[in-house]
């Protein structure tokens, strides 16, 4: 198991930690890499080609006892499951606001002392020719690093990679290229469906 710096937001759930480790053991997966000493960042998790990616991600989150948030359309955060989505780390956002989702998420980053936001850059597990740039715009607007995290089916390893800190010094295209360089389609469960790699 990898070390977690003290400033990383934690879930503080011993039961969750045991469950996550059990899930990883049953699936034959391990975790490698190093978490950055950053209070806030965007976790770009890729490649995403299978529903299994979600279960592996949940197992990793639980095993590490790290609080990772995710975005969801505000309309799904309704009773009776809205509270559960929030408990799991969901952040409701509106896509129909004048200032857009990027501004909303930037304001959420600014309002929190610690925040890890997990996103799948492809936006879908189906093949597309290019990644969406939403996670790039969010990181640049909030002035936070991007931490690439790979789901590598070749070795059954979830890899936490070094942070890309110069997010505001690059154009969106340059930053997207730098992030994508950390991944290969051979990591995916279905390499032929790996988008934009």
């Amino acid at each position: 198991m990898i070390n977690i710096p003290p400033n990383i937001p934690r879930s503080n759930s011993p039961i969750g930690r045991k469950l996550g480790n059990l899930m990883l053991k049953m699936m034959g997966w391990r975790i490698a890499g190093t978490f950055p000493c950053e209070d806030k960042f965007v976790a770009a998790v890729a490649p995403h080609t299978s529903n299994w990616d979600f279960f592996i991600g949940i197992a990793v989150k639980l095993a590490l006892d790290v609080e990772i948030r995710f975005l969801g359309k505000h309309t799904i955060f309704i009773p009776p499951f809205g509270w559960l989505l929030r408990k799991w780390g969901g952040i409701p956002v509106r896509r129909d606001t004048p200032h857009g989702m990027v501004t909303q998420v930037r304001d959420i980053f600014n309002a929190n002392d610690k925040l890890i936001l997990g996103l799948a850059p492809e936006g879908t597990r189906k093949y597309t020719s290019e990644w969406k740039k939403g996670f790039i715009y969010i990181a640049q607007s909030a002035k936070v690093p991007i931490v690439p995290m790979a789901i590598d089916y070749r070795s059954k390893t979830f890899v936490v990679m070094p942070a890309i800190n110069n997010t505001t010094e690059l154009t969106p295209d340059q930053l997207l290229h730098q992030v994508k360089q950390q991944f290969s389609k051979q990591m995916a469960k279905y390499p032929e469906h790996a988008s934009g790699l």
Side-chain angles (χ1 to χ4, degrees), residues 4 65 132-133 191:
I4 308 295
D65 193 41
K132 297 182 183 299
K133 292 180 185 173

Side-chain angles (χ1 to χ4, degrees), residues 5-51:
N7 57 319
I8 294 293
R10 308 301 292 269
S11 300
N12 297 314
S13 173
I15 295 175
R17 194 179 306 123
K18 290 179 180 178
L19 177 61
N21 282 311
L22 178 61
M23 291 170 66
L24 290 175
K25 185 176 181 180
M26 290 177 63
M27 293 187 292
W29 280 71
R30 67 186 184 93
I31 307 170
T34 304
F35 262 79
C37 293
E38 302 285 350
D39 297 323
K40 307 178 188 182
F41 60 84
V42 171
V45 185
H48 179 37
T49 62
S50 167
N51 285 330

